[in-house]
Amino acid sequence: MLDNPGDGIKIRASIGTLARIGIAQVKLEAYPRTAYLLLPGGCSGSCLFCPQWIKESRVSRVSWPEVELEYILNAQMLFERICIQSVLRRMFWEDLVKISSLFEIPVSISTNPVGERELLELRKNSQMIGIGIDAASSSLFEAIRRPGSFESYLKFFEKSLRIYGKGNVYVHLIAGLGEDLKDMVKIMSYIYDRGGAVALFAFTPVPGTPLQDREPPPITYYRFIQIVNYSLKEGIPLERIGSLDPDDYKEAFLTSGCPGCNRPFYNERPGGKLYNFPSRELLESRWEEVREEVRASLEYLRFLP
Ligand code: SF4
C-alpha cells in the first residue's frame, strides 16, 4: 500500500459506496459490490437527461458527495471492482489515468471518446471500459444533445474493442429516451455481434433537468429489453423468446454490466418498482410480480425487427 494513498486527491463517490464503507449513514436494501466514483469538476456537455452540467452532485437519481480518495483506497477490498466515471472537461483522461493507477483491485472506467494514445494509457490500469452511447439511434443521440456524434461513438467502440479486447467493452444504453424499439434491438445486436456487451439503464427523470417531466419507461417495455439483452448475450435467437420459461432466464432482470456491477437504486426509489435488480435475493423476493411483468412484456415480441 502507498504511504500517502490518494495524495490529497478529491473524488465524488455514490452515496451507496460511502454507505458501504461506513462514512455515510444511509440504510440500503442492497449495497454496491462495485465502488462507483466520479471525477469532480462538473461537465461541459449539456445532455437533456443528465444533471451533471446543472447540478454537479447528482448522476441519475443518486447523490455523489465529494470525499478524499484516500477513504476509498483504504476500503477498496470491500468491493469487487472500482468504476470511475468521467465528465467532459479539459484533460479529464489524465485524471482517469492517475486515479485508476492507485487501485489494486479491478478497475472499469466509463468515458467519452478519447484518442488512441490516451486510450492505450488508460488501458494500462483498467481492465474494462464503459461507453455511454446512451441513445439507440443517430437522430435520438442528436435530439438529447449528446456531445459528438453517434457515428464517432461507434468508432470509439470499435477502437476500444481492439485495445481492451472482446468481452471487456460495455456500451451503456438508456431505455425510455423516446427510442424506437427496433432501433434499440438493432444497436444491441450490433454491439454483441462485434464482441461488446450492453449495460442497460432505464430513463429516470431528474428534477432540474430539461427532461424532468418525462415519464420513466413502462416496466413491461423495460422487461422486454432486458430479455432481448440477455438473449443476445447468451446467443439465444430472438424468435425463441416466446417459447422460453421465465424461470430459466431470471438473470435477465439483474443489473447488467461489468462483473460485480450492481448499481443499486440507480434508476429507482427504494421500495418502488425495480428496473434493475441489484441482488438475486431481492429478485427472488419479488419474482412473482416480475414473472407477471414478463408475461405482459411479451406483447412487444411483435415489434421485433
Ligand atoms: S457497466 Fe458498471 S462497472 Fe462497468 S463501466 Fe458501466 S457502470 Fe461501471
Side-chain angles (χ1 to χ4, degrees):
M1 197 41 127
L2 299 163
D3 287 342
N4 184 15
D7 215 10
I9 298 171
K10 294 264 206 284
I11 192 88
R12 292 192 178 280
S14 78
I15 193 79
T17 302
L18 297 180
R20 178 72 185 92
I21 65 178
I23 59 172
Q25 303 309 317
V26 218
K27 191 144 173 37
L28 297 174
E29 265 188 282
Y31 284 91
R33 289 161 50 206
T34 290
Y36 297 99
L37 309 181
L38 172 69
L39 294 184
C43 186
S44 62
S46 59
C47 305
L48 295 184
F49 59 89
C50 181
Q52 266 299 295
W53 53 287
I54 304 165
K55 197 170 178 218
E56 214 197 298
S57 63
R58 295 191 88 83
V59 178
S60 192
R61 56 169 302 282
V62 177
S63 73
W64 298 68
E66 195 172 282
V67 294
E68 297 283 341
L69 180 62
E70 191 176 342
Y71 285 121
I72 316 289
L73 286 166
N74 289 338
Q76 60 182 298
M77 294 306 169
L78 293 173
F79 299 98
E80 292 171 40
R81 172 172 301 276
I82 303 291
C83 171
I84 313 170
Q85 303 181 31
S86 65
V87 289
L88 201 56
R89 64 164 159 75
R90 236 183 125 256
M91 305 306 272
F92 68 85
W93 69 273
E94 284 192 334
D95 291 346
L96 276 180
V97 169
K98 163 87 181 149
I99 293 168
S100 52
S101 73
L102 298 174
F103 286 97
E104 293 165 31
I105 66 169
V107 172
S108 293
I109 54 156
S110 170
T111 179
N112 295 301
V114 292
E116 177 120 1
R117 185 176 68 85
E118 291 82 0
L119 198 56
L120 285 165
E121 276 301 306
L122 287 166
R123 176 68 177 104
K124 288 183 188 160
N125 303 308
S126 58
Q127 291 69 39
M128 304 190 97
I129 184 168
I131 306 169
I133 296 185
D134 297 334
S137 68
S138 182
S139 54
L140 188 59
F141 188 97
E142 251 178 60
I144 60 165
R145 297 206 319 231
R146 287 292 281 132
S149 70
F150 189 71
E151 291 67 29
S152 68
Y153 271 72
L154 290 186
K155 280 202 184 119
F156 183 61
F157 164 61
E158 306 279 350
K159 187 159 61 183
S160 300
L161 278 173
R162 239 186 322 108
I163 292 176
Y164 277 77
K166 289 185 176 181
N168 293 327
V169 182
Y170 273 83
V171 172
H172 295 184
L173 290 175
I174 303 178
L177 279 174
E179 71 280 353
D180 186 315
L181 176 58
K182 285 191 172 65
D183 286 336
M184 187 58 131
V185 176
K186 218 164 106 190
I187 182 73
M188 289 165 82
S189 306
Y190 176 95
I191 291 162
Y192 280 103
D193 282 351
R194 276 156 188 77
V198 172
L200 269 183
F201 294 73
F203 166 70
T204 305
V206 181
T209 59
L211 295 187
Q212 63 176 358
D213 297 324
R214 183 190 285 266
E215 290 292 318
I219 193 75
T220 51
Y221 174 77
Y222 195 71
R223 293 282 174 251
F224 186 71
I225 294 177
Q226 285 175 306
I227 301 169
V228 170
N229 190 29
Y230 175 81
S231 305
L232 291 170
K233 186 172 160 218
E234 297 297 319
I236 301 168
L238 300 186
E239 318 76 79
R240 281 192 51 214
I241 287 177
S243 60
L244 301 175
D245 179 347
D247 280 347
D248 293 335
Y249 57 85
K250 287 183 179 175
E251 204 178 305
F253 312 105
L254 296 172
T255 303
S256 49
C258 304
C261 175
N262 65 338
R263 302 191 299 271
F265 306 103
Y266 199 86
N267 288 148
E268 46 274 299
R269 284 173 209 292
K273 268 279 171 238
L274 284 169
Y275 283 88
N276 296 313
F277 282 87
S279 72
R280 278 179 195 277
E281 295 71 31
L282 262 178
L283 176 60
E284 288 299 341
S285 71
R286 301 199 193 173
W287 180 241
E288 281 316 308
E289 195 187 309
V290 175
R291 225 184 122 86
E292 257 324 285
E293 291 160 2
V294 171
R295 200 191 49 74
S297 79
L298 296 181
E299 67 159 305
Y300 287 101
L301 271 172
R302 64 198 160 101
F303 298 111
L304 277 182

